[in-house]
Amino acid sequence: MRRTLAWTGQFAAYAVLMAFIGYFSAAPAYSPCDPNKAQIKLSFRHSGPPKVECRRRTPEEIAKLPPNMRRSLDCPRERLPVAVQLELDGKILYSAVIAPSGVWKDGPPHSYATFAVASGHHRLIARLRDSRRTEGFDHERSADVVLLPKQVFVIDYRA
């Protein structure tokens, strides 16, 4: 009798747990974004040039260095930041200056951003500056795109 009661209680507990998990696996309905909007995703990983140009060492400087470090060029590792701008229908959607990654600031900057936008026809312009210039951009790409509801449009920069 006790054994039957224990088995029945265990079965009831498992049934309640399965019903709980079963309900929440399908309901309530969840949508990560508005079903009437489209998404634009910007993703890139790109290194700028070195922050300082390499310089040639003098013979006296080379002689002072240990034998295993005697190189004629002195090239600092740090790189320039990368400026990114994303424009949608004449309005700036995203603008950032991204510093290089890494302890020595010599790694590529990373950027990943997602934007929910109205579906329909759009004029999209992506700009990137990876040089020493202070104004303007080195790379620019524009496109007329038609975004459908729930569509994901990915912008990725490849050198």
Side-chain angles (χ1 to χ4, degrees):
M1 178 71 177
R2 285 186 103 171
R3 186 175 270 256
T4 306
L5 191 58
W7 282 94
T8 305
Q10 188 175 359
F11 177 74
Y14 283 136
V16 169
L17 182 63
M18 285 190 295
F20 180 78
I21 291 172
Y23 173 76
F24 284 107
S25 68
Y30 171 74
S31 177
C33 61
D34 186 354
N36 298 323
K37 292 195 172 204
Q39 279 190 348
I40 295 176
K41 293 189 179 193
L42 172 68
S43 169
F44 81 90
R45 177 183 169 142
H46 174 67
S47 291
K51 193 170 188 176
V52 179
E53 290 289 330
C54 294
R55 70 173 188 86
R56 193 161 289 285
R57 290 184 174 132
T58 63
E60 294 81 25
E61 288 177 315
I62 294 172
K64 289 179 185 177
L65 293 172
N68 64 330
M69 297 185 70
R70 291 183 181 166
R71 292 187 191 97
S72 60
L73 289 178
D74 178 24
C75 298
R77 294 171 66 167
E78 187 174 355
R79 296 191 170 274
L80 289 171
V82 174
V84 180
Q85 190 178 73
L86 188 60
E87 183 180 311
L88 183 71
D89 297 330
K91 296 177 188 164
I92 302 297
L93 189 61
Y94 179 73
S95 182
V97 177
I98 303 157
S101 61
V103 175
W104 300 103
K105 302 217 181 286
D106 61 343
H110 306 275
S111 180
Y112 181 80
T114 302
F115 310 97
V117 297
S119 55
H121 296 276
H122 295 285
R123 177 77 173 159
L124 188 63
I125 303 172
R127 299 180 182 104
L128 182 109
R129 178 176 56 238
D130 60 355
S131 66
R132 288 182 179 80
R133 64 193 291 187
T134 56
E135 293 190 16
F137 292 91
D138 301 314
H139 309 280
E140 182 173 318
R141 178 97 188 249
S142 61
D144 290 317
V145 294
V146 177
L147 300 175
L148 303 173
K150 298 184 184 177
Q151 180 181 3
V152 177
F153 187 81
V154 179
I155 301 168
D156 186 19
Y157 178 79
R158 295 188 185 156

